[in-house]
Amino acid sequence: MVPDESDSTGSAVREVGSKAIAAMVGASVGGVPGAVVAVALEPIFIELAARSWDELSDVRRRSAGLMIQRASQSLRVGPADVTDAAFTTDAKSQLFAEALQAAAFTANQSKIDALGRALANGLAGDGARVDEERLIVAGLSGLEEPHIRVLVNLPRQRPRPMTTPTSSARGAGGRRGALLAAVAERAGLSTKGAINVMAELVRTGMASQDGYGSEQRHDRLIIELQDEVAKLQWIVDNLGKRPPSNRRPKALKKPGSPIESGYGRTQFGDQCLEYLEVSAPDIEYPEVAEDDRPDLDV
């Protein structure tokens, strides 16, 4: 009976993946955690912990093997050739180790495939490309399904309006990104969950927090104050004259609570979504105008 080619390829992937991940992550996937062994427990509990840890190790090795398989498919070589290419330079070895570790700790197939593509691109490229793919791997390593959903539902980062001596950005009004609560609702997360997810996206540079709203609010307050001072100056210069309606001072107000910053997806976020092969719609969230925010009388 002729052996099935897919079976032999799968066997090779499992063998290479098992050896590679064991070498790269060592004891973290290899045996019973030392903390469990050190605790005085009944033998049955130690046996159950060992069995569970071994099964977990198998899952991690499988994920690493699937990542190597994806890289070999992209390079159109055998899985053993991927490991051989990975050790031709120190930089490629480092990329390989980082991709293996990231793959070992996820079960997300899109992420595993994306890591395989990044590894293949780095192994096929020069030193500069290897460094670029290491950045991609570092970004992807912290992503799981909730992060991907939030990233997809962020609007693309837009340029910030410019303020010049003769023109202010006051007409543009409001924030330039999406409020966290709105993104959380679209992504199917609680606000607290979205806060944790967003912190990781901002840390890795895939999302950015836009402070335009609060700065715009203070800029506008200064402009309005200047307008009122000009009205008072007109009255002083024209004593005894009844000021027209556009020259009558109004009650000065101060801002209420600062406008909540919005969030947007950066170009790096777009690039990581491309590796994940996830299509992101061009979402437009409604702007929040300054005048819609509560003001407090001075």
Side-chain angles (χ1 to χ4, degrees):
M1 178 178 177
V2 178
D4 183 64
E5 183 178 352
S6 62
D7 289 342
S8 60
T9 301
S11 176
V13 168
R14 284 191 295 273
E15 181 180 356
V16 173
S18 178
K19 291 179 180 178
I21 196 61
M24 295 297 176
V25 252
S28 66
V29 296
V32 183
V36 174
V37 175
V39 176
L41 292 176
E42 295 182 21
I44 181 62
F45 294 113
I46 296 178
E47 180 184 351
L48 290 174
R51 187 186 310 168
S52 300
W53 196 257
D54 287 342
E55 291 178 359
L56 180 60
S57 300
D58 289 340
V59 171
R60 290 175 174 174
R61 292 189 181 99
R62 180 179 180 277
S63 293
L66 289 173
M67 190 275 296
I68 295 174
Q69 183 180 49
R70 185 64 183 86
S72 69
Q73 291 171 347
S74 296
L75 294 171
R76 296 180 180 175
V77 298
D81 297 325
V82 173
T83 56
D84 291 341
F87 292 102
T88 55
T89 68
D90 289 344
K92 290 182 178 181
S93 299
Q94 191 65 31
L95 170 64
F96 184 52
E98 291 165 0
L100 278 174
Q101 179 123 1
F105 287 89
T106 186
N108 187 297
Q109 189 60 52
S110 296
K111 179 177 173 179
I112 291 172
D113 290 345
L115 290 167
R117 281 188 284 273
L119 175 61
N121 291 340
L123 296 182
D126 56 14
R129 185 59 186 265
V130 173
D131 292 338
E132 182 178 344
E133 298 305 323
R134 286 186 64 190
L135 292 175
I136 296 294
V137 169
L140 292 172
S141 64
L143 295 186
E144 292 298 337
E145 184 59 32
H147 301 86
I148 297 173
R149 292 205 307 271
V150 168
L151 195 60
V152 167
N153 283 288
L154 284 176
R156 286 187 175 87
Q157 194 178 46
R158 292 183 289 173
R160 176 174 168 170
M162 298 296 293
T163 301
T164 67
T166 58
S167 174
S168 73
R170 63 184 295 186
R175 59 187 164 72
R176 308 300 295 176
L179 294 180
L180 187 63
V183 177
E185 183 179 0
R186 291 185 67 103
L189 296 173
S190 67
T191 302
K192 288 184 179 180
I195 289 174
N196 296 330
V197 169
M198 193 67 73
E200 176 67 17
L201 296 179
V202 172
R203 184 190 69 80
T204 57
M206 297 185 197
S208 65
Q209 185 177 13
D210 196 340
Y212 171 69
S214 57
E215 293 176 13
Q216 162 77 2
R217 190 166 179 78
H218 295 301
D219 290 345
R220 180 171 178 177
L221 177 64
I222 293 172
I223 293 171
E224 289 180 348
L225 181 59
Q226 291 172 339
D227 290 342
E228 296 309 307
V229 170
K231 293 176 183 180
L232 294 173
Q233 185 63 47
W234 185 93
I235 293 174
V236 171
D237 295 339
N238 298 271
L239 291 175
K241 294 183 180 180
R242 183 181 180 85
S245 59
N246 63 337
R247 291 290 185 182
R248 294 173 187 169
K250 64 180 182 180
L252 293 180
K253 296 183 178 183
K254 67 180 180 181
S257 57
I259 291 182
E260 181 183 349
S261 296
Y263 292 88
R265 189 174 65 249
T266 64
Q267 290 183 348
F268 183 58
D270 284 336
Q271 190 177 11
C272 288
L273 285 181
E274 290 176 5
Y275 273 77
L276 291 163
E277 294 188 342
V278 175
S279 177
D282 193 5
I283 301 173
E284 289 289 341
Y285 288 90
E287 294 284 354
V288 175
E290 298 282 353
D291 292 336
D292 292 339
R293 310 295 293 197
D295 287 324
L296 301 176
D297 291 333
V298 175

